[in-house]
PDB file of all heavy atoms in Angstrom:
ATOM      1  N   PHE G  17      -9.686 -10.785  10.205  1.00  0.00           N
ATOM      2  CA  PHE G  17      -9.119 -12.118  10.024  1.00  0.00           C
ATOM      3  C   PHE G  17      -7.928 -12.329  10.953  1.00  0.00           C
ATOM      4  O   PHE G  17      -7.773 -13.402  11.542  1.00  0.00           O
ATOM      5  CB  PHE G  17      -8.662 -12.325   8.566  1.00  0.00           C
ATOM      6  CG  PHE G  17      -9.791 -12.343   7.591  1.00  0.00           C
ATOM      7  CD1 PHE G  17     -10.129 -11.199   6.878  1.00  0.00           C
ATOM      8  CD2 PHE G  17     -10.534 -13.496   7.392  1.00  0.00           C
ATOM      9  CE1 PHE G  17     -11.173 -11.209   5.977  1.00  0.00           C
ATOM     10  CE2 PHE G  17     -11.589 -13.513   6.493  1.00  0.00           C
ATOM     11  CZ  PHE G  17     -11.910 -12.370   5.785  1.00  0.00           C
ATOM     12  N   ILE G  18      -7.107 -11.311  11.062  1.00  0.00           N
ATOM     13  CA  ILE G  18      -5.913 -11.410  11.903  1.00  0.00           C
ATOM     14  C   ILE G  18      -6.304 -11.561  13.369  1.00  0.00           C
ATOM     15  O   ILE G  18      -5.745 -12.400  14.080  1.00  0.00           O
ATOM     16  CB  ILE G  18      -4.996 -10.191  11.676  1.00  0.00           C
ATOM     17  CG1 ILE G  18      -4.397 -10.299  10.268  1.00  0.00           C
ATOM     18  CG2 ILE G  18      -3.921 -10.101  12.746  1.00  0.00           C
ATOM     19  CD1 ILE G  18      -3.704  -9.055   9.786  1.00  0.00           C
ATOM     20  N   LEU G  19      -7.274 -10.804  13.821  1.00  0.00           N
ATOM     21  CA  LEU G  19      -7.707 -10.902  15.211  1.00  0.00           C
ATOM     22  C   LEU G  19      -8.335 -12.261  15.501  1.00  0.00           C
ATOM     23  O   LEU G  19      -8.228 -12.780  16.612  1.00  0.00           O
ATOM     24  CB  LEU G  19      -8.684  -9.775  15.544  1.00  0.00           C
ATOM     25  CG  LEU G  19      -8.079  -8.369  15.531  1.00  0.00           C
ATOM     26  CD1 LEU G  19      -9.148  -7.335  15.821  1.00  0.00           C
ATOM     27  CD2 LEU G  19      -6.925  -8.252  16.520  1.00  0.00           C
ATOM     28  N   ALA G  20      -8.959 -12.865  14.503  1.00  0.00           N
ATOM     29  CA  ALA G  20      -9.605 -14.169  14.682  1.00  0.00           C
ATOM     30  C   ALA G  20      -8.590 -15.294  14.885  1.00  0.00           C
ATOM     31  O   ALA G  20      -8.894 -16.278  15.547  1.00  0.00           O
ATOM     32  CB  ALA G  20     -10.502 -14.482  13.492  1.00  0.00           C
ATOM     33  N   VAL G  21      -7.380 -15.160  14.323  1.00  0.00           N
ATOM     34  CA  VAL G  21      -6.379 -16.228  14.450  1.00  0.00           C
ATOM     35  C   VAL G  21      -5.318 -15.915  15.503  1.00  0.00           C
ATOM     36  O   VAL G  21      -4.450 -16.731  15.754  1.00  0.00           O
ATOM     37  CB  VAL G  21      -5.669 -16.541  13.102  1.00  0.00           C
ATOM     38  CG1 VAL G  21      -6.656 -17.011  12.075  1.00  0.00           C
ATOM     39  CG2 VAL G  21      -4.852 -15.374  12.612  1.00  0.00           C
ATOM     40  N   ARG G  22      -5.407 -14.775  16.126  1.00  0.00           N
ATOM     41  CA  ARG G  22      -4.390 -14.368  17.095  1.00  0.00           C
ATOM     42  C   ARG G  22      -4.499 -15.210  18.364  1.00  0.00           C
ATOM     43  O   ARG G  22      -5.561 -15.318  18.968  1.00  0.00           O
ATOM     44  CB  ARG G  22      -4.559 -12.892  17.439  1.00  0.00           C
ATOM     45  CG  ARG G  22      -3.454 -12.392  18.320  1.00  0.00           C
ATOM     46  CD  ARG G  22      -3.471 -10.877  18.398  1.00  0.00           C
ATOM     47  NE  ARG G  22      -2.513 -10.493  19.411  1.00  0.00           N
ATOM     48  CZ  ARG G  22      -2.848  -9.977  20.577  1.00  0.00           C
ATOM     49  NH1 ARG G  22      -4.087  -9.724  20.855  1.00  0.00           N
ATOM     50  NH2 ARG G  22      -1.931  -9.666  21.453  1.00  0.00           N
ATOM     51  N   ALA G  23      -3.416 -15.822  18.739  1.00  0.00           N
ATOM     52  CA  ALA G  23      -3.378 -16.631  19.955  1.00  0.00           C
ATOM     53  C   ALA G  23      -2.855 -15.781  21.109  1.00  0.00           C
ATOM     54  O   ALA G  23      -1.745 -15.263  21.031  1.00  0.00           O
ATOM     55  CB  ALA G  23      -2.473 -17.834  19.757  1.00  0.00           C
ATOM     56  N   PRO G  24      -3.651 -15.618  22.158  1.00  0.00           N
ATOM     57  CA  PRO G  24      -3.171 -14.828  23.299  1.00  0.00           C
ATOM     58  C   PRO G  24      -2.030 -15.559  24.002  1.00  0.00           C
ATOM     59  O   PRO G  24      -2.167 -16.709  24.368  1.00  0.00           O
ATOM     60  CB  PRO G  24      -4.394 -14.697  24.195  1.00  0.00           C
ATOM     61  CG  PRO G  24      -5.294 -15.822  23.802  1.00  0.00           C
ATOM     62  CD  PRO G  24      -4.975 -16.167  22.374  1.00  0.00           C
ATOM     63  N   ASN G  25      -0.910 -14.899  24.153  1.00  0.00           N
ATOM     64  CA  ASN G  25       0.235 -15.533  24.807  1.00  0.00           C
ATOM     65  C   ASN G  25       0.906 -14.601  25.808  1.00  0.00           C
ATOM     66  O   ASN G  25       1.992 -14.888  26.274  1.00  0.00           O
ATOM     67  CB  ASN G  25       1.250 -16.029  23.766  1.00  0.00           C
ATOM     68  CG  ASN G  25       1.757 -14.912  22.880  1.00  0.00           C
ATOM     69  OD1 ASN G  25       1.457 -13.745  23.097  1.00  0.00           O
ATOM     70  ND2 ASN G  25       2.541 -15.254  21.877  1.00  0.00           N
ATOM     71  N   GLY G  26       0.280 -13.485  26.089  1.00  0.00           N
ATOM     72  CA  GLY G  26       0.832 -12.566  27.069  1.00  0.00           C
ATOM     73  C   GLY G  26       1.916 -11.654  26.546  1.00  0.00           C
ATOM     74  O   GLY G  26       2.417 -10.812  27.265  1.00  0.00           O
TER      75      GLY G  26
END
Side-chain angles (χ1 to χ4, degrees):
F17 293 97
I18 291 168
L19 293 178
V21 299
R22 186 168 172 250
N25 58 6

